[in-house]
Amino acid sequence: MGEEILKTVKINKSFGITHAVKDVTVSFYKGEIHGLIGENGSGKSTLMSMLTGIYSIGSGEFILEGKKLNVKNQVEANRNGVSIIVQEMGTLSGLTVAENIFLGNEDQFVKFGIKNAAAMNRKAQALLDQYGFHHIHASTMIDNYDFEDRKLIEIVKATYFNPKILVVDETTTTLSQAGRDELYKHMKRLKKLGSTVIFISHDLEEVIRMTDRITILRDGELIDTVQSSDVTEDDLKRLMVGRELSGRYYRTDYGEPVSKEVVLSAKNVSVPGQLRNISFDLHKGEILGIGGLSECGMHEVGKAVFGASYDRTGEVALADGTHIDSIPTAIKHNIAYVSKDRDNESLVINDSIRDNICLTSMDRLSKHHIILNKKLDQFANRYAKIVSVKMVGVGQFVSDLSGGNKQKVALARWIGKDSDILVLDSPTRGIDVKVKADIYALMSDMKKQGKSTIVISEEILELLGMCDRILVMKEGAFSGEFKRDPALTEEDFIAKMV
Amino acid sequence: MTEQNQKKSLGARYSEFMDKPIARDVLPIIGFLIILVLFAILTHGKIIQPFNVRLLLSQTYVLMIAATGVFLIMTMGCLDFSQGSMLGIASIVICYLSAYNIFLAILGGIVTGGAIGAINGFFHVKRKIPSFIVTICTMYLFRGLCAYLTTNSPVYAVGNVYQYNTETVKLCLTIGLLLIIFLVYHFTKLGYSLKAIGAGETASRFAGIKVQKVKWLIYIVAGMITGFAAFINVIKVGSVTSTGGNMLETEILIALVLGGMPISGGAMVRYINIIAGVLTYKVLSAGLNMMGLATEMQQLIEGVVFLIVVALFSDRKSLKVIK
């Protein structure tokens, strides 16, 4: 048993009608890495956002070293020795690397009201070098770095002052292995210094490996805190979901032949700067995977098939010869597309669940061009139920939902549209095991109904587990093709990716 | 839990209430009733006397009709400042054509408005210029044209247009238009598309809505509606001066916002915003007038009320950039 450093006392938070965090009381010890897990919408991020001043505290108290802590923003949190690396982009565009690192703490470089930019850059560069990030320059605009580097900069920003509490919120899902190792290193360093790291991740294997203790939340409530050495992944899954989950959620069939019938073919498709002359066929009832590194252009393939790319050349055609050149044509011919960018492209988040589900099926729902509200309600309810969206009612706004539930709404829309070809870009990004299992089940279902799916994913295991055939991409072109085979390993795959 | 923590701050309660869809449905009507009762008391009942009600209504038609078009534009999260000069130009065309045939005149007004709307739409949709910039430019452009055409003398309509200037005609035309727009707004795919575009343009595009086409169409339709309003204007006034339709765009904007319309458009928009807003605005300004306040004082009070309402109704979650 360690010495307590931080305690949450009966913390609550509501967003409108959603009660996101309910009476959560947990103790965190000095010098431990403490895992925080739960399904999407279980309240992990909300709880940590309140600790670090991103959200205001609904009710209850945070006690840090015996004193009440109620910070208004992240800068104030930092001054109290609490810092966070957030799930999405946590750095500000339009500022230099150094300005980002010292955001809110510029005072130390200010003399007589004038900021000494040179001193700031020097100190930032010293820090970057000390962390081993020699390729990042402190005086450069942060926009010149990619997502990965910007995350590394965030690591520096959140850890250089040796905070007493560091929160790492689902950061690893967006990082490459090298980036992850870098992050692990600093988590361990802080632990050695006697600080506490609160680690949020959906990768349960990683959580068990990295942490000393794990706290599980479900529906905003505290379920249990366990010793990491005592539990298995399956134990955690059970605690998170509240019921037994079968250990495997991928497809288990191998060697079933795929129909020879081609439903969609792409020929010599190019998009400037993204895709170079790619061609492929999609068969009836096939799950076709497309994998590779994040920047390899695979995400553009989805857009190209859906007619959403700008400046696309080459052709995408259906079996009957119809060319798909615009989104309306694609939708009219029952092609569905779920984007990686859930909040901007997949869903109109500032609109109701009902409107989001019905939007693409308006033609079917109208009679003589007239659309009745009641009909939309019925339709939305029906498909929201099929994918089991957790909601108060279909009138609820999508912006109130958690990531997993948003994704379900996006899928409900296309199931309602009765799409024949589904293009799913990163369908399980940032989504917990239960919703993941639901989505995989749905994909298997679609396959059984003879529908074809293209899955674009950065998660190799997901592709290996679900796809009949996988195309690997590298620098905008295909670099390899694998047939479904239980003997395939991640290594085979990675060899073609890089 | 301490007692202090259990009490929610007033602000939190307010934003929770505003998140409920019902709030957006009833508040505009409640606001109108409050203003009406307030001025009924302040003017000792003068404002609800039949004569004044009729006067008030006769001043309302043009604003009500023109506001309907802008309402559609604002639902998509866009703006239109060119309505005033559009009304001026369309009125001039109607006056010219009234010499030949009254139906030709109406048609001419609608086509003129539609053409100006098409210009707005072209620059906003095809050249990708923010709508408020485009429409401020066209506002000046057509205000100038309007002044040029009326340099020597006001443009007069032929005498017999006054025969249409009856409350029945104007009321029927206004209600007819409001009804058509209501039906389109609530019961067609187009209506749902407008709200979706306001709530999220990119996501709407990915849901298969032809965003550019819809936007352009709505700019043209809004222009046509204002061209139609110009006809009501002409039969009432009978002539156009260089200031014809001056400040109409501001009045529309104020009226819609008073009616609870979020500036960012989107899913929080309600049809009732038009009717409640225009009536509230007209009662407010007529009421202040009847109380005998100086014009400057009236403007000052209107400004304060406007600010308060915008602060209450803006949809902070989705407020980013006006397109």
Side-chain angles (χ1 to χ4, degrees):
Chain A
M1 276 285 150
E3 178 193 341
E4 181 179 288
I5 177 164
L6 172 74
K7 192 176 159 96
T8 73
V9 186
K10 292 205 162 190
I11 297 278
N12 278 279
K13 179 81 184 175
S14 298
F15 295 104
I17 27 194
T18 317
H19 202 161
V21 175
K22 294 176 205 159
D23 278 342
V24 172
T25 303
V26 199
S27 290
F28 298 93
Y29 299 150
K30 238 178 132 141
E32 73 167 343
I33 298 182
H34 193 125
L36 190 57
I37 62 168
E39 295 181 61
N40 291 110
S42 60
K44 317 168 295 267
S45 292
T46 312
L47 183 66
M48 288 303 117
S49 297
M50 282 188 277
L51 172 67
T52 49
I54 298 170
Y55 294 150
S56 63
I57 299 173
S59 73
E61 285 175 345
F62 289 102
I63 311 283
L64 178 66
E65 294 179 318
K67 273 186 290 205
K68 199 173 147 184
L69 180 76
N70 185 1
V71 293
K72 302 271 177 294
N73 53 49
Q74 287 184 66
V75 175
E76 205 183 321
N78 288 352
R79 297 214 173 107
N80 284 287
V82 180
S83 70
I84 183 168
I85 303 174
V86 296
Q87 191 176 353
E88 303 293 334
M89 195 86 82
T91 44
L92 296 180
S93 296
L95 296 180
T96 65
V97 172
E99 281 164 344
N100 260 294
I101 291 177
F102 294 111
L103 193 69
N105 292 307
E106 299 88 349
D107 289 355
Q108 50 181 315
F109 305 109
V110 174
K111 260 195 192 133
F112 311 116
I114 294 164
K115 187 181 82 176
N116 185 346
M120 186 193 245
N121 286 337
R122 264 201 307 279
K123 178 142 183 221
Q125 193 61 54
L127 282 171
L128 287 164
D129 290 344
Q130 184 192 321
Y131 275 73
F133 306 153
H134 298 286
H135 65 292
I136 301 174
H137 301 290
S139 55
T140 317
M141 288 309 255
I142 198 142
D143 310 63
N144 296 344
Y145 294 100
D146 61 14
F147 193 87
E148 176 109 10
D149 281 338
R150 288 177 74 154
K151 273 286 158 212
L152 294 181
I153 295 164
E154 249 191 284
I155 293 176
V156 176
K157 180 185 168 185
T159 58
Y160 77 89
F161 57 96
N162 298 332
K164 287 179 244 175
I165 309 280
L166 170 70
V167 181
V168 181
D169 188 357
E170 265 172 66
T171 308
T172 47
T173 45
T174 54
L175 286 176
S176 67
Q177 195 54 48
R180 285 184 191 205
D181 289 340
E182 209 52 61
L183 180 62
Y184 295 153
K185 199 169 89 194
H186 291 284
M187 285 164 59
K188 284 181 187 148
R189 178 176 69 84
L190 286 173
K191 179 185 165 172
K192 227 172 253 166
L193 286 172
S195 302
T196 304
V197 179
I198 302 173
F199 184 55
I200 301 179
S201 172
H202 281 308
D203 185 345
L204 297 178
E205 184 270 327
E206 173 187 60
V207 173
I208 294 177
R209 181 162 43 84
M210 286 301 299
T211 59
D212 303 298
R213 293 191 308 151
I214 301 170
T215 292
I216 301 105
L217 295 178
R218 190 199 309 153
D219 295 332
E221 285 175 274
L222 176 78
I223 300 302
D224 202 357
T225 299
V226 295
Q227 294 289 334
S228 305
S229 48
D230 298 347
V231 289
T232 63
E233 273 186 64
D234 285 337
D235 294 337
L236 292 179
K237 276 182 201 163
R238 200 171 48 245
L239 287 166
M240 280 165 67
V241 180
R243 65 176 166 82
E244 203 74 44
L245 262 188
S246 58
R248 297 179 60 86
Y249 41 68
Y250 294 133
R251 280 168 61 190
T252 46
D253 62 295
Y254 283 94
E256 273 180 41
V258 176
S259 161
K260 286 271 178 289
E261 190 186 335
V262 173
V263 291
L264 177 137
S265 61
K267 282 196 192 72
N268 303 326
V269 172
S270 292
V271 174
Q274 305 261 17
L275 297 178
R276 289 185 293 131
N277 234 3
I278 62 159
S279 303
F280 64 90
D281 287 333
L282 178 68
H283 299 95
K284 190 172 161 58
E286 180 182 38
I287 301 182
L288 173 66
I290 299 180
L293 297 173
S294 183
E295 302 296 318
C296 69
M298 61 178 178
H299 300 299
E300 197 62 30
V301 178
K303 288 200 168 80
V305 169
F306 193 56
S309 291
Y310 291 107
D311 301 331
R312 191 198 78 195
T313 55
E315 61 170 57
V316 176
L318 298 177
D320 63 3
T322 318
H323 286 244
I324 306 296
D325 292 318
S326 72
I327 297 172
T329 331
I331 292 176
K332 200 171 141 216
H333 291 94
N334 289 334
I335 299 179
Y337 173 65
V338 176
S339 167
K340 185 187 178 194
D341 189 350
R342 205 172 294 147
D343 286 1
N344 287 314
E345 295 179 350
S346 289
L347 293 164
V348 187
I349 61 160
N350 289 311
D351 206 341
S352 60
I353 296 172
R354 187 193 69 181
D355 289 359
N356 268 288
I357 293 181
C358 296
L359 216 48
T360 49
S361 302
M362 286 297 185
D363 286 328
R364 219 178 91 203
L365 290 166
S366 64
K367 208 172 174 186
H368 309 301
H369 296 287
I370 292 167
I371 296 169
L372 296 176
N373 236 318
K374 215 176 87 191
K375 226 168 167 186
L376 298 189
D377 278 340
Q378 284 170 356
F379 185 81
N381 266 311
R382 190 159 125 226
Y383 288 100
K385 205 168 275 169
I386 286 182
V387 297
S388 58
V389 177
K390 215 159 75 183
M391 61 181 183
V392 183
V394 289
Q396 199 180 1
F397 269 41
V398 173
S399 49
D400 289 345
L401 301 179
S402 65
N405 270 311
K406 281 181 187 164
Q407 190 71 321
K408 284 181 168 183
V409 173
L411 289 167
R413 164 196 287 181
W414 296 114
I415 296 170
K417 179 72 177 64
D418 199 19
S419 309
D420 295 327
I421 297 172
L422 285 99
V423 181
L424 309 178
D425 192 346
S426 315
T428 60
R429 184 178 68 97
I431 281 177
D432 65 71
V433 281
K434 186 163 157 252
V435 179
K436 250 185 193 173
D438 288 351
I439 290 176
Y440 294 143
L442 224 105
M443 281 162 62
S444 299
D445 241 35
M446 290 287 173
K447 182 181 161 65
K448 272 180 211 134
Q449 292 172 34
K451 305 194 167 185
S452 316
T453 310
I454 297 177
V455 185
I456 299 163
S457 177
E458 285 159 49
E459 287 184 49
I460 301 171
L461 285 176
E462 171 173 298
L463 293 174
L464 293 177
M466 291 307 299
C467 299
D468 294 303
R469 186 161 58 104
I470 307 166
L471 295 168
V472 188
M473 277 188 86
K474 189 177 149 188
E475 290 162 6
F478 291 129
S479 61
E481 179 170 350
F482 295 104
K483 285 254 162 13
R484 181 170 183 77
D485 185 348
L488 263 183
T489 64
E490 283 182 77
E491 282 70 31
D492 301 335
F493 215 87
I494 293 167
K496 297 276 183 194
M497 276 164 55
V498 288
Chain B
M1 221 180 296
T2 63
E3 201 166 296
Q4 183 206 349
N5 279 333
Q6 275 190 334
K7 277 189 199 156
K8 280 181 192 156
S9 71
L10 200 65
R13 271 159 194 263
Y14 169 73
S15 55
E16 242 171 61
F17 175 64
M18 287 306 287
D19 275 348
K20 290 182 187 154
I22 186 83
R24 302 255 169 198
D25 291 332
V26 297
L27 277 185
I29 299 169
I30 294 175
F32 168 65
L33 292 177
I34 290 174
I35 294 278
L36 187 66
V37 170
L38 183 73
F39 280 102
I41 295 167
L42 288 175
T43 61
H44 307 293
K46 249 202 287 184
I47 202 162
I48 46 173
Q49 282 165 5
F51 172 77
N52 282 323
V53 170
R54 219 174 302 138
L55 190 71
L56 197 72
L57 273 179
S58 77
Q59 293 170 350
T60 306
Y61 302 124
V62 172
L63 181 62
M64 186 75 89
I65 293 175
T68 312
V70 179
F71 167 80
L72 298 177
I73 291 177
M74 281 177 66
T75 302
M76 301 187 299
C78 303
L79 284 174
D80 190 346
F81 288 107
S82 66
Q83 297 290 324
S85 43
M86 203 187 272
L87 188 92
I89 297 284
S91 297
I92 291 171
V93 171
I94 291 167
C95 286
Y96 283 145
L97 292 176
S98 65
Y100 304 100
N101 180 308
I102 194 70
F103 293 105
L104 186 67
I106 297 178
L107 196 67
I110 292 177
V111 170
T112 309
I116 298 176
I119 295 172
N120 286 335
F122 172 79
F123 283 102
H124 174 47
V125 175
K126 291 289 170 193
R127 308 306 318 152
K128 307 225 183 304
I129 306 169
S131 64
F132 70 96
I133 305 270
V134 171
T135 54
I136 283 176
C137 293
T138 48
M139 170 180 97
Y140 278 106
L141 202 166
F142 290 104
R143 176 59 57 209
L145 184 62
C146 196
Y148 173 76
L149 293 173
T150 53
T151 319
N152 298 323
S153 69
V155 178
Y156 294 97
V158 292
N160 68 1
V161 295
Y162 289 108
Q163 71 189 55
Y164 301 102
N165 188 23
T166 66
E167 291 308 312
T168 331
V169 169
K170 289 189 286 187
L171 194 65
C172 287
L173 288 177
T174 308
I175 290 178
L177 182 95
L178 283 174
L179 196 66
I180 293 171
I181 300 298
F182 175 78
L183 293 176
V184 170
Y185 195 72
H186 273 279
F187 299 103
T188 69
K189 186 179 167 185
L190 183 64
Y192 282 95
S193 302
L194 297 187
K195 276 182 270 186
I197 292 172
E201 202 170 311
T202 314
S204 299
R205 189 169 80 85
F206 276 91
I209 295 172
K210 294 167 183 156
V211 176
Q212 296 205 336
K213 217 170 128 187
V214 170
K215 274 188 167 180
W216 206 350
L217 175 74
I218 292 303
Y219 267 99
I220 295 172
V221 167
M224 288 164 72
I225 290 173
T226 300
F228 182 66
F231 171 70
I232 308 278
N233 182 46
V234 168
I235 59 175
K236 188 174 147 226
V237 189
S239 67
V240 192
T241 62
S242 62
T243 55
N246 209 8
M247 298 298 279
L248 179 70
E249 59 281 335
T250 330
E251 284 183 17
I252 293 173
L253 200 66
I254 293 177
L256 287 176
V257 170
L258 281 181
M261 176 125 190
I263 302 266
S264 52
M268 297 285 195
V269 176
R270 296 288 184 273
Y271 184 79
I272 191 72
N273 298 148
I274 314 172
I275 295 165
V278 171
L279 291 178
T280 308
Y281 175 69
K282 279 296 177 186
V283 168
L284 179 70
S285 49
L288 291 172
N289 207 2
M290 276 177 202
M291 286 169 65
L293 292 176
T295 319
E296 303 78 39
M297 199 60 195
Q298 287 182 29
Q299 285 184 347
L300 192 143
I301 294 175
E302 281 175 20
V304 171
V305 173
F306 183 64
L307 262 182
I308 293 171
V309 175
V310 177
L312 286 177
F313 276 99
S314 67
D315 177 8
R316 284 169 190 79
K317 268 191 212 153
S318 56
L319 195 65
K320 278 183 203 153
V321 181
I322 309 288
K323 289 163 199 155

